[in-house]
Amino acid sequence: MKATQLEELISKIDHIVEAISLEEAEVQELIRDVHPVYHKSVKNLIHYNGFRKFDLRKIQKKFRYLGLTRLAHAEGHVMSSLLKSKFILQRLLGDPSPPNLKSGLSIKNGERILAKHAKELFGFRSKGRRVRIMVTLPTEAAYNYNLVYEMVASGMNCARINCAHDGPEVWMKMVEHIKQASQELGRSIKIAMDLAGPKIRTGSIVAGPRVKKFRPVKDIKGRVIKPATIIMEGNPEAGSAMDMLPVDPAWLGQLRLGDKLFITDARNKVRKLKVVEVLENQIMLSCQKTLYVETGATIRSRSSHVEDIEVGELPATEQAIILRKDDILKVTKLNVIGSLPLFDGEGKLLKPASISCQLPEIFDRIKEGEAILFDDGKIEGVIETIFPDHFEVRITRAKEKGSKLRAEKGMNFPRTDLKLGGLTEKDKTDLEFVSKYADILNYSFVNTKEDVAVLLSELEKWNAINSVSIILKIETRLAFDNLVEILLAAMKVKYIGVMIARGDLAVETGWDTIGKVQEEILALCGAAHVPVVWATQVLENLAKEGFPSRSEITDTVSSLRAECVMLNKGPYIKEAIQLLNTILSDMERFHEKNQAMLPKMEKL
């Protein structure tokens, strides 16, 4: 490269350094307001934000031709990387000027700060891997201690309790199980609790019968390789757990290992059950065939020492509305139970399906012709007609055989400014429990710096500032556009993190841009030395169905770019944790972040 080209590169670096130095000078008051642990980090974030106001691709290419850094991974140490690059270019020109390399964080110090923040937020890492594993607890975790124990033993570092479901009594049981398992296994497990936030969800749907299905695992030839497992517990609340049946606790004491029981299931089929494990107030049974157990079903025994008993109250099965392209769905403002579509004897639609919206405030914002999406974008529609108490949606995309819409599923309006954010009244109530028992508060649907200020004000009321760490869930287009302001507002307290909630975020920003969006979030958080949680749909097929897809494995490897990976609940969650633990441990030593070209950062 010619001397004139080297001089041009030096001049461009000087121009960038001057611009980001001026930007830092303009926000000195803001920098002074942050917590001391972020004093160096906030300066670096300001530097990076200024750095990304330039289109750097031409400079990067010239650096590559010289065999130098392309500044693609400079987010954690911007000023230092620029000055080091300038120093090398000066030496290539034979310039003996003394280097100015003390400004800004060094590469090593930037990495150390991020590692320290990750440790403070998520706790100690597991041996052999840097990335922590966060797992969403199902309701069953409140009643099945063995499930929690296995999750911790399999590699879970952080247990997530979602306040959108259950309540303080159930949460308390989960917390107790986490602490018990942590103590028994000698591991420190952080407890994260999600505030529900103003998420727009579908309301309840008319309930189905009170019945539970249990089935064995079979091979490809239909041979049973693992019998169905049924747990009977002397607890009326046990019926809410996935594989449990509630019975009279006094009756359980009559059973012995190896006892055989019989039950006539909901299809009038007789099934044989065998007692395979006897625990305190809990019996484990096995069955070689599929069975459907309903409330009040009689369990019989041919042994004289065991009386007949009836199964206690089971929860009603969850029903779903089946939606196809061009179907009409009625979304109601009133808090009423949703209904399935009504057809006549010839299959002609008499009445469309209806479902309520749990956040009626949106009715004041929506307009006809605007898009609406359900269940993380699995179902798409357009608002056709708006009435005072409901609006009608025509479905524009669904599976050919129909998509299932259930209660408590998300609704998104990607092109509508709903002006939502901050804390709901429920969140403020839940904060009392969260501030006492959680290590981490996951803040849902934060959109602006004002939303952060509201949360900090509420935490002060419970004396929880700096005693509970905060993870900011980035779920909307607005939150992404305001991310720098949100980070600066949150850095007033120590130890924050960011969750890339890729499901809602992809729906909000568009599937075609989610790749770019998550790259930018990773870069900005890297600049602020803020740990990132890689969330939504990680090994989802494995957790729910028992088999991972190939794309899930690739996605999991990509998650090594974050400091924590989140798994959602499912019947095979233990297997998902074990596989994730293996992948993160084995692949980390081979993994490097991809090189990236850096155009000027733009808002969506």
Side-chain angles (χ1 to χ4, degrees), residues 73-86:
H73 307 306
E75 61 267 14
H77 35 79
V78 177
M79 185 66 80
S80 177
S81 294
L82 287 169
L83 294 177
K84 282 183 170 65
S85 298
K86 176 184 176 181

Side-chain angles (χ1 to χ4, degrees), residues 294-326:
E294 57 186 340
T295 297
T298 301
I299 300 172
R300 306 181 305 278
S301 172
R302 293 173 186 170
S303 301
S304 59
H305 67 276
V306 181
E307 301 172 352
D308 292 352
I309 189 73
E310 288 188 354
V311 173
E313 190 76 2
L314 296 173
T317 53
E318 180 187 8
Q319 296 205 104
I321 297 171
I322 307 298
L323 294 171
R324 297 175 176 83
K325 190 174 183 291
D326 291 325

Side-chain angles (χ1 to χ4, degrees), residues 13-70:
I13 290 174
D14 284 337
H15 179 58
I16 294 172
V17 168
E18 182 181 1
I20 63 179
S21 297
L22 287 173
E23 194 149 327
E24 178 187 339
E26 291 174 0
V27 292
Q28 283 301 308
E29 185 176 344
L30 186 151
I31 291 174
R32 285 192 295 269
D33 287 342
V34 305
H35 193 279
V37 300
Y38 286 113
H39 274 168
K40 293 181 180 178
S41 301
V42 71
K43 289 182 181 180
N44 192 71
L45 174 60
I46 298 299
H47 292 168
Y48 184 72
N49 194 44
F51 173 68
R52 288 298 308 280
K53 290 179 179 177
F54 294 88
D55 190 328
L56 302 160
R57 286 173 290 186
K58 289 183 180 179
I59 296 176
Q60 287 180 300
K61 286 180 180 179
K62 290 178 180 179
F63 277 169
R64 185 181 66 188
Y65 297 151
L66 289 168
L68 302 177
T69 174
R70 296 192 307 127

Side-chain angles (χ1 to χ4, degrees), residues 105-125:
L105 286 166
S106 67
I107 295 173
K108 185 176 290 187
N109 283 338
E111 292 173 349
R112 283 175 176 169
I113 290 174
L114 178 56
K116 181 177 184 292
H117 290 173
K119 178 183 174 183
E120 294 292 341
L121 184 63
F122 300 118
F124 289 96
R125 61 185 180 87

Side-chain angles (χ1 to χ4, degrees), residues 363-420:
F363 282 75
D364 298 327
R365 304 289 180 186
I366 58 172
K367 297 176 182 177
E368 293 178 356
E370 291 181 332
I372 179 173
L373 299 95
F374 300 91
D375 194 7
D376 287 342
K378 295 183 179 69
I379 303 169
E380 295 181 9
V382 62
I383 299 171
E384 279 203 340
T385 313
I386 300 176
F387 299 92
D389 62 348
H390 73 278
F391 62 86
E392 291 183 348
V393 176
R394 182 171 295 279
I395 304 302
T396 57
R397 188 177 70 85
K399 290 181 180 178
E400 185 176 348
K401 295 182 179 180
S403 296
K404 293 181 178 180
L405 178 61
R406 301 183 185 275
E408 296 288 336
K409 293 301 179 182
M411 300 168 64
N412 293 83
F413 300 81
R415 299 297 170 184
T416 307
D417 182 7
L418 298 174
K419 301 187 184 304
L420 299 176

Side-chain angles (χ1 to χ4, degrees), residues 51-184:
F51 173 68
R52 288 298 308 280
K53 290 179 179 177
F54 294 88
D55 190 328
L56 302 160
R57 286 173 290 186
K58 289 183 180 179
I59 296 176
Q60 287 180 300
K61 286 180 180 179
K62 290 178 180 179
F63 277 169
R64 185 181 66 188
Y65 297 151
L66 289 168
L68 302 177
T69 174
R70 296 192 307 127
L71 303 173
H73 307 306
E75 61 267 14
H77 35 79
V78 177
M79 185 66 80
S80 177
S81 294
L82 287 169
L83 294 177
K84 282 183 170 65
S85 298
K86 176 184 176 181
F87 170 69
I88 293 171
L89 293 173
Q90 287 175 322
R91 286 296 182 266
L92 289 174
L93 282 172
D95 185 348
S97 301
N100 177 22
L101 305 181
K102 296 296 182 181
S103 296
L105 286 166
S106 67
I107 295 173
K108 185 176 290 187
N109 283 338
E111 292 173 349
R112 283 175 176 169
I113 290 174
L114 178 56
K116 181 177 184 292
H117 290 173
K119 178 183 174 183
E120 294 292 341
L121 184 63
F122 300 118
F124 289 96
R125 61 185 180 87
S126 296
K127 186 176 181 180
R129 62 173 160 86
R130 172 187 61 86
V131 180
R132 280 75 167 177
I133 297 175
M134 178 185 292
V135 186
T136 304
L137 298 186
T139 301
E140 184 184 358
Y143 307 104
N144 185 353
Y145 170 69
N146 288 335
L147 172 63
V148 178
Y149 182 93
E150 289 177 346
M151 292 168 81
V152 175
S154 297
M156 176 176 72
N157 305 105
C158 182
R160 173 179 177 252
I161 299 172
N162 191 349
C163 294
H165 307 290
D166 306 311
E169 186 177 343
V170 173
W171 304 338
M172 193 68 243
K173 291 178 180 179
M174 291 180 180
V175 169
E176 289 170 350
H177 283 170
I178 295 164
K179 291 185 175 180
Q180 182 182 346
S182 301
Q183 186 174 7
E184 290 184 11

